[in-house]
Coordinates of all heavy atoms in Angstrom, one line a residue:
M1 N 53.7 -70.1 -14.7 CA 52.6 -69.7 -15.6 C 51.6 -68.8 -14.9 O 51.0 -67.9 -15.5 CB 51.8 -70.9 -16.1 CG 52.5 -71.6 -17.3 SD 52.7 -70.4 -18.6 CE 52.8 -71.4 -20.0
K2 N 51.4 -68.9 -13.6 CA 50.5 -68.1 -12.9 C 50.9 -66.6 -12.9 O 50.1 -65.7 -13.0 CB 50.3 -68.6 -11.5 CG 49.6 -69.9 -11.4 CD 49.3 -70.3 -9.9 CE 48.5 -71.6 -9.9 NZ 48.2 -71.9 -8.5
L3 N 52.2 -66.4 -12.8 CA 52.8 -65.0 -12.8 C 52.5 -64.4 -14.2 O 52.1 -63.2 -14.3 CB 54.3 -65.0 -12.5 CG 54.9 -63.6 -12.6 CD1 54.3 -62.7 -11.5 CD2 56.4 -63.8 -12.4
T4 N 52.6 -65.1 -15.3 CA 52.4 -64.6 -16.6 C 50.9 -64.3 -16.8 O 50.5 -63.2 -17.3 CB 52.8 -65.6 -17.7 OG1 54.0 -66.2 -17.3 CG2 52.9 -65.0 -19.0
A5 N 50.0 -65.1 -16.2 CA 48.6 -64.9 -16.3 C 48.2 -63.6 -15.5 O 47.4 -62.8 -16.0 CB 47.8 -66.1 -15.8
A6 N 48.8 -63.4 -14.4 CA 48.6 -62.2 -13.6 C 49.0 -61.0 -14.3 O 48.3 -60.0 -14.2 CB 49.2 -62.4 -12.2
I7 N 50.2 -61.0 -14.9 CA 50.7 -59.8 -15.6 C 49.8 -59.5 -16.8 O 49.4 -58.4 -17.1 CB 52.1 -60.1 -16.1 CG1 53.0 -60.0 -14.8 CG2 52.6 -59.0 -17.1 CD1 54.5 -60.4 -15.1
Q8 N 49.3 -60.6 -17.5 CA 48.4 -60.3 -18.6 C 47.1 -59.8 -18.2 O 46.5 -58.9 -18.8 CB 48.2 -61.6 -19.4 CG 49.3 -62.1 -20.2 CD 49.1 -63.4 -20.9 OE1 48.2 -64.2 -20.5 NE2 50.0 -63.8 -21.8
Y9 N 46.6 -60.2 -17.0 CA 45.4 -59.7 -16.5 C 45.5 -58.2 -16.1 O 44.6 -57.4 -16.4 CB 44.9 -60.5 -15.2 CG 43.7 -60.0 -14.6 CD1 42.4 -60.2 -15.1 CD2 43.7 -59.2 -13.4 CE1 41.3 -59.7 -14.6 CE2 42.6 -58.7 -12.8 CZ 41.4 -59.0 -13.4 OH 40.2 -58.5 -12.8
L10 N 46.7 -57.8 -15.5 CA 46.9 -56.4 -15.2 C 47.0 -55.5 -16.4 O 46.7 -54.4 -16.4 CB 48.1 -56.3 -14.3 CG 48.0 -56.8 -12.9 CD1 49.4 -56.7 -12.2 CD2 47.0 -56.0 -12.1
A11 N 47.5 -56.1 -17.5 CA 47.7 -55.3 -18.7 C 46.5 -55.3 -19.6 O 46.5 -54.6 -20.7 CB 48.9 -56.0 -19.5
F12 N 45.4 -55.9 -19.2 CA 44.2 -55.9 -20.0 C 43.6 -54.5 -20.1 O 43.5 -53.8 -19.1 CB 43.2 -56.9 -19.4 CG 41.8 -56.9 -20.1 CD1 41.7 -57.4 -21.3 CD2 40.7 -56.3 -19.5 CE1 40.5 -57.4 -22.0 CE2 39.5 -56.3 -20.1 CZ 39.4 -56.8 -21.4
D13 N 43.2 -54.1 -21.3 CA 42.6 -52.8 -21.5 C 41.1 -52.9 -21.4 O 40.5 -53.5 -22.3 CB 43.0 -52.2 -22.8 CG 42.4 -50.8 -23.1 OD1 42.0 -50.2 -22.2 OD2 42.4 -50.4 -24.3
P14 N 40.4 -52.4 -20.4 CA 39.0 -52.5 -20.3 C 38.2 -51.6 -21.2 O 37.0 -51.8 -21.4 CB 38.7 -52.1 -18.8 CG 39.8 -51.2 -18.5 CD 41.0 -51.7 -19.2
G15 N 38.9 -50.6 -21.9 CA 38.3 -49.8 -22.9 C 37.4 -48.7 -22.2 O 36.4 -48.2 -22.9
V16 N 37.7 -48.3 -21.0 CA 36.9 -47.3 -20.3 C 37.5 -45.9 -20.5 O 38.7 -45.8 -20.4 CB 36.8 -47.6 -18.8 CG1 36.0 -46.5 -18.1 CG2 36.1 -48.9 -18.6
S17 N 36.7 -45.0 -20.9 CA 37.2 -43.6 -21.1 C 36.2 -42.6 -20.6 O 35.0 -43.0 -20.6 CB 37.6 -43.3 -22.5 OG 36.5 -43.4 -23.4
P18 N 36.6 -41.4 -20.2 CA 35.6 -40.4 -19.7 C 34.6 -40.1 -20.8 O 34.9 -39.9 -21.9 CB 36.4 -39.2 -19.3 CG 37.8 -39.7 -19.2 CD 37.9 -40.9 -20.1
K19 N 33.3 -40.0 -20.4 CA 32.3 -39.6 -21.4 C 31.4 -38.5 -20.7 O 30.8 -38.8 -19.6 CB 31.4 -40.8 -21.7 CG 30.3 -40.5 -22.7 CD 29.5 -41.7 -22.9 CE 28.2 -41.4 -23.7 NZ 27.3 -42.5 -23.8
E20 N 31.3 -37.4 -21.3 CA 30.5 -36.3 -20.8 C 29.0 -36.6 -21.1 O 28.6 -37.1 -22.1 CB 30.8 -35.0 -21.4 CG 30.2 -33.8 -20.7 CD 30.8 -32.5 -21.2 OE1 31.9 -32.5 -21.6 OE2 30.1 -31.5 -21.0
G21 N 28.2 -36.4 -20.1 CA 26.7 -36.5 -20.2 C 26.3 -37.9 -19.9 O 25.1 -38.3 -20.1
G22 N 27.1 -38.8 -19.3 CA 26.7 -40.1 -19.0 C 25.9 -40.2 -17.7 O 25.1 -41.2 -17.5
L23 N 26.0 -39.3 -16.8 CA 25.3 -39.3 -15.5 C 24.4 -38.1 -15.4 O 24.8 -37.0 -15.8 CB 26.3 -39.4 -14.3 CG 27.0 -40.7 -14.1 CD1 28.0 -40.5 -13.0 CD2 26.1 -41.8 -13.8
P24 N 23.3 -38.2 -14.8 CA 22.5 -37.0 -14.5 C 23.1 -36.1 -13.4 O 23.8 -36.6 -12.5 CB 21.1 -37.6 -14.0 CG 21.5 -38.9 -13.5 CD 22.6 -39.4 -14.3
G25 N 22.9 -34.9 -13.5 CA 23.4 -33.9 -12.5 C 24.8 -33.5 -12.8 O 25.4 -32.8 -11.9
L26 N 25.4 -33.7 -13.9 CA 26.7 -33.3 -14.3 C 26.8 -31.8 -14.3 O 27.8 -31.2 -13.8 CB 27.2 -33.9 -15.6 CG 28.6 -33.7 -16.0 CD1 29.6 -34.3 -14.9 CD2 28.9 -34.3 -17.3
D27 N 25.8 -31.1 -14.8 CA 25.8 -29.6 -14.8 C 25.8 -29.1 -13.4 O 26.5 -28.1 -13.1 CB 24.6 -29.1 -15.6 CG 24.8 -29.4 -17.1 OD1 25.9 -29.5 -17.6 OD2 23.7 -29.5 -17.8
V28 N 25.0 -29.7 -12.5 CA 25.0 -29.2 -11.1 C 26.3 -29.4 -10.5 O 26.8 -28.5 -9.8 CB 23.9 -30.0 -10.4 CG1 23.9 -29.6 -8.9 CG2 22.5 -29.7 -11.0
L29 N 27.0 -30.5 -10.7 CA 28.3 -30.8 -10.1 C 29.3 -29.8 -10.6 O 30.2 -29.3 -9.9 CB 28.8 -32.2 -10.4 CG 30.1 -32.6 -9.8 CD1 30.0 -32.6 -8.3 CD2 30.4 -34.0 -10.3
K30 N 29.3 -29.5 -11.9 CA 30.2 -28.4 -12.5 C 30.0 -27.1 -11.8 O 30.9 -26.4 -11.5 CB 30.0 -28.3 -14.0 CG 30.6 -29.5 -14.8 CD 30.4 -29.3 -16.3 CE 30.9 -30.4 -17.1 NZ 30.7 -30.2 -18.5
N31 N 28.7 -26.7 -11.6 CA 28.4 -25.4 -10.9 C 28.9 -25.4 -9.5 O 29.4 -24.4 -9.0 CB 26.9 -25.2 -11.0 CG 26.4 -24.7 -12.4 OD1 27.2 -24.2 -13.1 ND2 25.2 -25.0 -12.7
V32 N 28.7 -26.6 -8.8 CA 29.2 -26.6 -7.4 C 30.7 -26.5 -7.4 O 31.2 -25.7 -6.5 CB 28.7 -28.0 -6.8 CG1 29.5 -28.2 -5.4 CG2 27.2 -28.0 -6.6
I33 N 31.4 -27.2 -8.2 CA 32.9 -27.1 -8.2 C 33.4 -25.7 -8.6 O 34.3 -25.2 -8.0 CB 33.5 -28.2 -9.2 CG1 33.1 -29.6 -8.7 CG2 35.0 -28.0 -9.3 CD1 33.7 -29.9 -7.3
S34 N 32.7 -25.1 -9.6 CA 33.0 -23.7 -10.0 C 32.8 -22.8 -8.8 O 33.6 -21.8 -8.6 CB 32.2 -23.3 -11.2 OG 32.5 -24.1 -12.3
S35 N 31.8 -23.0 -8.0 CA 31.5 -22.1 -6.9 C 32.5 -22.3 -5.8 O 33.0 -21.3 -5.2 CB 30.1 -22.4 -6.3 OG 29.1 -22.1 -7.3
I36 N 32.9 -23.5 -5.6 CA 34.0 -23.8 -4.6 C 35.3 -23.1 -5.0 O 36.0 -22.6 -4.2 CB 34.2 -25.3 -4.4 CG1 32.9 -25.9 -3.7 CG2 35.4 -25.7 -3.6 CD1 32.9 -27.4 -3.7
N37 N 35.6 -23.2 -6.3 CA 36.8 -22.5 -6.8 C 36.7 -21.0 -6.6 O 37.7 -20.4 -6.2 CB 37.0 -22.9 -8.3 CG 38.4 -22.6 -8.8 OD1 39.2 -22.1 -8.1 ND2 38.6 -22.8 -10.1
L38 N 35.6 -20.4 -6.8 CA 35.4 -19.0 -6.6 C 35.6 -18.6 -5.2 O 36.2 -17.7 -4.9 CB 34.0 -18.6 -7.1 CG 33.6 -17.1 -6.8 CD1 34.5 -16.2 -7.6 CD2 32.2 -16.9 -7.1
F39 N 35.0 -19.4 -4.3 CA 35.2 -19.1 -2.8 C 36.6 -19.3 -2.5 O 37.1 -18.5 -1.6 CB 34.3 -20.1 -2.0 CG 32.9 -19.7 -1.9 CD1 31.9 -20.6 -2.3 CD2 32.5 -18.5 -1.4 CE1 30.6 -20.2 -2.2 CE2 31.2 -18.1 -1.3 CZ 30.2 -19.0 -1.7
G40 N 37.3 -20.2 -3.0 CA 38.8 -20.4 -2.8 C 39.6 -19.2 -3.2 O 40.5 -18.7 -2.5
I41 N 39.2 -18.7 -4.4 CA 39.9 -17.5 -4.9 C 39.6 -16.3 -4.1 O 40.6 -15.5 -3.8 CB 39.5 -17.2 -6.4 CG1 40.1 -18.3 -7.3 CG2 40.0 -15.9 -6.9 CD1 39.7 -18.3 -8.7
I42 N 38.4 -16.1 -3.6 CA 38.1 -15.0 -2.7 C 38.8 -15.1 -1.4 O 39.4 -14.1 -0.9 CB 36.6 -14.9 -2.5 CG1 35.9 -14.5 -3.8 CG2 36.2 -13.9 -1.4 CD1 34.4 -14.6 -3.8
A43 N 38.9 -16.3 -0.9 CA 39.7 -16.5 0.4 C 41.2 -16.2 0.2 O 41.8 -15.6 1.1 CB 39.5 -18.0 0.9
V44 N 41.7 -16.6 -1.0 CA 43.1 -16.3 -1.2 C 43.4 -14.8 -1.3 O 44.4 -14.3 -0.9 CB 43.6 -17.0 -2.5 CG1 44.9 -16.5 -3.0 CG2 43.7 -18.5 -2.2
V45 N 42.4 -14.1 -1.9 CA 42.6 -12.6 -2.0 C 42.6 -12.0 -0.6 O 43.5 -11.2 -0.3 CB 41.4 -12.0 -2.8 CG1 41.4 -10.5 -2.6 CG2 41.5 -12.3 -4.3
G46 N 41.8 -12.5 0.3 CA 41.8 -12.0 1.7 C 43.1 -12.4 2.4 O 43.7 -11.6 3.1
A47 N 43.5 -13.6 2.2 CA 44.8 -14.1 2.8 C 46.0 -13.3 2.3 O 46.9 -13.0 3.1 CB 45.0 -15.6 2.5
L48 N 46.0 -13.0 1.0 CA 47.1 -12.2 0.4 C 47.1 -10.8 1.0 O 48.1 -10.3 1.4 CB 46.9 -12.1 -1.1 CG 48.1 -11.5 -1.9 CD1 49.4 -12.2 -1.6 CD2 47.7 -11.4 -3.3
A49 N 45.9 -10.2 1.2 CA 45.8 -8.8 1.7 C 46.3 -8.8 3.2 O 47.1 -8.0 3.6 CB 44.4 -8.3 1.6
I50 N 45.9 -9.8 4.0 CA 46.3 -9.8 5.4 C 47.8 -10.1 5.5 O 48.4 -9.5 6.3 CB 45.4 -10.9 6.1 CG1 44.0 -10.4 6.2 CG2 46.0 -11.2 7.5 CD1 43.0 -11.5 6.7
S51 N 48.3 -11.0 4.7 CA 49.7 -11.3 4.7 C 50.5 -10.1 4.3 O 51.6 -9.9 4.9 CB 50.0 -12.5 3.8 OG 49.4 -13.7 4.3
A52 N 50.1 -9.4 3.3 CA 50.8 -8.2 2.9 C 50.8 -7.2 4.0 O 51.8 -6.5 4.3 CB 50.3 -7.7 1.6
L53 N 49.7 -7.0 4.7 CA 49.6 -6.1 5.8 C 50.5 -6.5 7.0 O 51.2 -5.6 7.6 CB 48.2 -6.0 6.3 CG 47.2 -5.2 5.4 CD1 45.8 -5.3 5.9 CD2 47.6 -3.7 5.4
V54 N 50.6 -7.8 7.3 CA 51.5 -8.3 8.3 C 52.9 -8.0 7.9 O 53.7 -7.7 8.8 CB 51.2 -9.8 8.6 CG1 52.2 -10.4 9.5 CG2 49.8 -9.9 9.3
W55 N 53.2 -8.3 6.7 CA 54.6 -8.1 6.2 C 55.0 -6.6 6.4 O 56.0 -6.3 6.9 CB 54.6 -8.5 4.8 CG 56.0 -8.5 4.1 CD1 57.2 -8.1 4.6 CD2 56.3 -8.8 2.7 NE1 58.2 -8.2 3.7 CE2 57.7 -8.6 2.5 CE3 55.5 -9.3 1.7 CZ2 58.3 -8.9 1.3 CZ3 56.1 -9.6 0.5 CH2 57.5 -9.4 0.3
A56 N 54.1 -5.7 5.9 CA 54.4 -4.3 6.0 C 54.5 -3.8 7.5 O 55.4 -3.0 7.8 CB 53.3 -3.5 5.3
W57 N 53.6 -4.3 8.3 CA 53.6 -3.9 9.7 C 54.8 -4.4 10.4 O 55.5 -3.7 11.1 CB 52.3 -4.5 10.4 CG 52.3 -4.2 11.9 CD1 52.1 -3.0 12.5 CD2 52.6 -5.2 12.9 NE1 52.2 -3.2 13.9 CE2 52.5 -4.5 14.1 CE3 52.9 -6.5 12.9 CZ2 52.7 -5.2 15.3 CZ3 53.1 -7.2 14.1 CH2 53.0 -6.5 15.3
G58 N 55.2 -5.6 10.1 CA 56.4 -6.2 10.7 C 57.7 -5.5 10.2 O 58.6 -5.2 11.0
H59 N 57.7 -5.0 9.0 CA 58.8 -4.3 8.4 C 59.0 -2.9 9.1 O 60.1 -2.5 9.5 CB 58.7 -4.2 6.9 CG 59.8 -3.4 6.3 ND1 61.1 -3.9 6.1 CD2 59.8 -2.1 5.8 CE1 61.8 -2.9 5.6 NE2 61.1 -1.9 5.3
H60 N 57.9 -2.2 9.2 CA 57.9 -0.9 9.7 C 58.0 -0.8 11.2 O 58.5 0.2 11.8 CB 56.7 0.0 9.2 CG 56.8 0.2 7.8 ND1 57.8 1.1 7.2 CD2 56.1 -0.2 6.7 CE1 57.6 1.1 5.9 NE2 56.6 0.4 5.6
S61 N 57.6 -1.9 11.9 CA 57.7 -1.8 13.4 C 59.0 -2.5 13.9 O 59.2 -2.5 15.1 CB 56.5 -2.5 14.0 OG 56.5 -3.9 13.7
G62 N 59.7 -3.1 13.0 CA 60.9 -3.8 13.4 C 60.7 -5.2 13.9 O 61.6 -5.8 14.5
G63 N 59.5 -5.8 13.7 CA 59.2 -7.1 14.1 C 59.6 -8.1 13.1 O 58.9 -8.3 12.1
H64 N 60.8 -8.7 13.2 CA 61.3 -9.6 12.2 C 60.5 -10.8 12.0 O 60.4 -11.3 10.9 CB 62.8 -9.9 12.5 CG 63.6 -8.7 12.6 ND1 63.9 -7.9 11.5 CD2 64.3 -8.1 13.6 CE1 64.7 -6.9 11.8 NE2 64.9 -7.0 13.1
Q65 N 60.0 -11.3 13.1 CA 59.1 -12.6 13.0 C 57.8 -12.3 12.3 O 57.4 -13.1 11.4 CB 58.8 -13.1 14.5 CG 58.1 -14.4 14.5 CD 59.0 -15.5 14.0 OE1 60.2 -15.5 14.2 NE2 58.4 -16.5 13.4
A66 N 57.2 -11.1 12.6 CA 56.0 -10.8 11.8 C 56.3 -10.5 10.4 O 55.5 -10.9 9.5 CB 55.4 -9.5 12.5
E67 N 57.4 -9.9 10.1 CA 57.8 -9.7 8.7 C 58.0 -11.0 8.0 O 57.5 -11.2 6.8 CB 59.1 -8.8 8.6 CG 59.5 -8.5 7.2 CD 60.8 -7.6 7.2 OE1 61.3 -7.3 8.3 OE2 61.2 -7.3 6.1
A68 N 58.7 -11.9 8.6 CA 58.9 -13.2 8.0 C 57.6 -14.0 7.8 O 57.4 -14.6 6.7 CB 59.9 -14.1 8.8
N69 N 56.7 -13.9 8.7 CA 55.5 -14.6 8.6 C 54.6 -14.0 7.5 O 53.9 -14.7 6.8 CB 54.7 -14.6 9.9 CG 55.3 -15.6 10.9 OD1 56.0 -16.6 10.5 ND2 55.1 -15.4 12.2
G70 N 54.7 -12.7 7.4 CA 54.0 -12.0 6.3 C 54.5 -12.4 4.9 O 53.7 -12.6 4.0
K71 N 55.8 -12.5 4.8 CA 56.4 -12.9 3.5 C 55.9 -14.4 3.2 O 55.6 -14.7 2.1 CB 57.9 -12.9 3.6 CG 58.5 -11.5 3.6 CD 60.0 -11.6 3.6 CE 60.7 -10.3 3.8 NZ 62.1 -10.4 3.9
K72 N 56.0 -15.2 4.2 CA 55.6 -16.6 4.0 C 54.1 -16.7 3.6 O 53.8 -17.4 2.7 CB 55.8 -17.4 5.3 CG 56.3 -18.8 5.2 CD 56.5 -19.5 6.5 CE 56.9 -18.7 7.6 NZ 57.1 -19.5 8.9
G73 N 53.3 -16.0 4.3 CA 51.9 -16.0 3.9 C 51.6 -15.4 2.5 O 50.7 -15.9 1.8
T74 N 52.3 -14.4 2.2 CA 52.2 -13.9 0.8 C 52.6 -14.9 -0.3 O 51.9 -15.0 -1.3 CB 53.0 -12.6 0.7 OG1 52.6 -11.7 1.7 CG2 52.9 -11.9 -0.7
V75 N 53.7 -15.6 0.0 CA 54.1 -16.6 -1.0 C 53.1 -17.7 -1.1 O 52.8 -18.2 -2.2 CB 55.5 -17.1 -0.7 CG1 55.9 -18.3 -1.5 CG2 56.5 -15.9 -0.9
V76 N 52.6 -18.2 0.1 CA 51.7 -19.3 0.1 C 50.4 -18.9 -0.6 O 49.8 -19.6 -1.3 CB 51.4 -19.7 1.6 CG1 50.2 -20.7 1.7 CG2 52.6 -20.4 2.1
A77 N 49.9 -17.7 -0.3 CA 48.7 -17.2 -0.9 C 48.8 -17.1 -2.5 O 47.9 -17.4 -3.2 CB 48.2 -15.8 -0.4
A78 N 50.0 -16.6 -2.9 CA 50.2 -16.5 -4.3 C 50.3 -17.9 -5.0 O 49.8 -18.1 -6.1 CB 51.5 -15.7 -4.6
G79 N 50.9 -18.8 -4.3 CA 50.9 -20.2 -4.8 C 49.6 -20.8 -4.9 O 49.2 -21.5 -5.8
C80 N 48.7 -20.6 -3.9 CA 47.3 -21.1 -3.9 C 46.6 -20.4 -5.0 O 45.8 -21.1 -5.7 CB 46.7 -20.8 -2.6 SG 47.2 -21.8 -1.2
A81 N 46.8 -19.2 -5.3 CA 46.1 -18.5 -6.4 C 46.5 -19.1 -7.7 O 45.7 -19.3 -8.6 CB 46.4 -17.0 -6.4
L82 N 47.8 -19.4 -7.8 CA 48.3 -20.0 -9.0 C 47.7 -21.4 -9.2 O 47.2 -21.7 -10.3 CB 49.8 -20.2 -9.0 CG 50.5 -20.9 -10.1 CD1 50.4 -20.0 -11.4 CD2 51.9 -21.2 -9.8
L83 N 47.6 -22.2 -8.2 CA 47.0 -23.5 -8.3 C 45.5 -23.5 -8.6 O 45.0 -24.3 -9.4 CB 47.3 -24.4 -7.0 CG 48.7 -24.8 -6.9 CD1 48.9 -25.5 -5.5 CD2 49.2 -25.7 -8.0
L84 N 44.8 -22.6 -7.9 CA 43.4 -22.5 -8.2 C 43.1 -22.0 -9.6 O 42.2 -22.5 -10.3 CB 42.7 -21.5 -7.2 CG 42.5 -22.0 -5.8 CD1 42.1 -20.8 -4.9 CD2 41.5 -23.1 -5.8
G85 N 43.9 -21.1 -10.1 CA 43.7 -20.6 -11.5 C 44.1 -21.6 -12.5 O 43.5 -21.7 -13.6
A86 N 45.0 -22.5 -12.2 CA 45.5 -23.4 -13.2 C 44.9 -24.8 -13.0 O 45.4 -25.8 -13.6 CB 47.1 -23.5 -13.1
A87 N 43.9 -25.0 -12.1 CA 43.4 -26.3 -11.8 C 42.9 -27.0 -13.0 O 43.2 -28.2 -13.2 CB 42.3 -26.2 -10.7
N88 N 42.1 -26.4 -13.8 CA 41.6 -27.0 -15.0 C 42.7 -27.5 -16.0 O 42.7 -28.6 -16.5 CB 40.6 -26.1 -15.8 CG 39.3 -25.9 -15.1 OD1 38.9 -26.8 -14.3 ND2 38.7 -24.8 -15.3
G89 N 43.7 -26.6 -16.2 CA 44.8 -26.9 -17.0 C 45.7 -28.0 -16.5 O 46.1 -28.9 -17.3
I90 N 45.9 -28.1 -15.2 CA 46.7 -29.1 -14.6 C 46.0 -30.5 -14.7 O 46.6 -31.5 -15.1 CB 47.0 -28.8 -13.1 CG1 47.9 -27.6 -13.0 CG2 47.5 -30.0 -12.4 CD1 48.0 -27.1 -11.5
V91 N 44.7 -30.5 -14.4 CA 43.9 -31.8 -14.6 C 43.9 -32.2 -16.0 O 44.1 -33.4 -16.4 CB 42.5 -31.6 -14.0 CG1 41.7 -32.8 -14.3 CG2 42.6 -31.4 -12.5
A92 N 43.7 -31.3 -17.0 CA 43.6 -31.6 -18.4 C 45.0 -32.1 -18.9 O 45.0 -33.1 -19.6 CB 43.2 -30.4 -19.2
F93 N 46.1 -31.5 -18.4 CA 47.4 -32.0 -18.8 C 47.6 -33.4 -18.3 O 48.0 -34.3 -19.1 CB 48.5 -31.0 -18.2 CG 49.9 -31.5 -18.4 CD1 50.5 -31.4 -19.7 CD2 50.6 -32.1 -17.4 CE1 51.8 -31.8 -19.9 CE2 51.9 -32.5 -17.6 CZ 52.5 -32.4 -18.8
F94 N 47.4 -33.7 -17.1 CA 47.7 -35.0 -16.6 C 46.7 -36.0 -17.1 O 47.0 -37.2 -17.2 CB 47.8 -35.0 -15.0 CG 49.1 -34.5 -14.5 CD1 49.1 -33.2 -13.9 CD2 50.3 -35.2 -14.7 CE1 50.3 -32.7 -13.5 CE2 51.5 -34.6 -14.2 CZ 51.5 -33.4 -13.6
S95 N 45.5 -35.6 -17.4 CA 44.5 -36.6 -18.0 C 45.0 -36.9 -19.4 O 44.9 -38.1 -19.8 CB 43.2 -35.9 -18.1 OG 42.2 -36.8 -18.7
A96 N 45.5 -35.9 -20.2 CA 46.0 -36.2 -21.5 C 47.3 -37.1 -21.4 O 47.5 -38.0 -22.2 CB 46.3 -34.9 -22.2
M97 N 48.1 -36.9 -20.4 CA 49.3 -37.7 -20.2 C 48.9 -39.1 -19.9 O 49.5 -40.1 -20.3 CB 50.2 -37.1 -19.1 CG 50.9 -35.8 -19.5 SD 51.9 -35.9 -21.0 CE 53.2 -36.9 -20.4
G98 N 47.8 -39.3 -19.1 CA 47.4 -40.6 -18.7 C 46.8 -41.4 -19.8 O 46.9 -42.6 -19.8
T99 N 46.2 -40.7 -20.8 CA 45.7 -41.5 -22.0 C 46.8 -42.0 -22.8 O 46.6 -42.9 -23.6 CB 44.8 -40.6 -22.8 OG1 45.6 -39.5 -23.3 CG2 43.6 -40.1 -22.1
Q100 N 48.1 -41.5 -22.7 CA 49.2 -42.0 -23.5 C 49.9 -43.2 -22.9 O 50.7 -43.8 -23.5 CB 50.2 -40.9 -23.7 CG 49.6 -39.7 -24.5 CD 50.6 -38.6 -24.6 OE1 51.8 -38.7 -24.2 NE2 50.2 -37.5 -25.2
V101 N 49.5 -43.6 -21.6 CA 50.1 -44.7 -21.0 C 49.5 -46.0 -21.6 O 48.3 -46.1 -21.6 CB 49.9 -44.7 -19.4 CG1 50.4 -45.9 -18.8 CG2 50.5 -43.4 -18.9
H102 N 50.3 -46.9 -22.0 CA 49.8 -48.2 -22.6 C 50.4 -49.3 -21.9 O 51.5 -49.4 -21.5 CB 50.1 -48.2 -24.1 CG 49.3 -47.2 -24.8 ND1 48.0 -47.3 -25.1 CD2 49.8 -46.1 -25.4 CE1 47.6 -46.2 -25.8 NE2 48.7 -45.5 -26.0

């Protein structure tokens, strides 16, 4: 019986859901996160430019290691840009999926 009671306790729905405007400073937190996202995007632009330059330099100078590192950096920077741009959508998608778990 103790196992059944523990399972029922874990399955209990506390009825908690996200509510906008519940805490003070929410607008400030949104501005801070937006600014961090902007700095991340600016850093990715710089990383992409440097990686592309290393790729081109390695290609034209015959430096195969530099060329490979430039390609790797370009792909990583593009992936980071994709994740930064899609951050809101990714969180919203998984949040919506989480509300469907019962």
Side-chain angles (χ1 to χ4, degrees):
M1 280 301 204
K2 290 185 179 184
L3 180 63
T4 317
I7 291 173
Q8 286 176 346
Y9 178 75
L10 288 174
F12 176 71
D13 180 18
V16 177
S17 61
K19 178 182 172 189
E20 189 168 337
L23 290 174
L26 187 60
D27 292 331
V28 173
L29 183 61
K30 285 180 182 180
N31 286 335
V32 167
I33 297 300
S34 296
S35 297
I36 291 171
N37 196 359
L38 175 66
F39 281 122
I41 289 171
I42 291 170
V44 166
V45 169
L48 185 62
I50 291 170
S51 296
L53 286 172
V54 169
W55 184 0
W57 175 73
H59 177 74
H60 290 293
S61 68
H64 300 295
Q65 186 69 31
E67 183 180 2
N69 286 337
K71 286 180 188 178
K72 216 180 330 180
T74 302
V75 170
V76 169
C80 287
L82 176 70
L83 289 174
L84 285 170
N88 287 334
I90 292 169
V91 171
F93 172 76
F94 283 107
S95 178
M97 293 300 291
T99 61
Q100 295 178 7
V101 175
H102 294 288

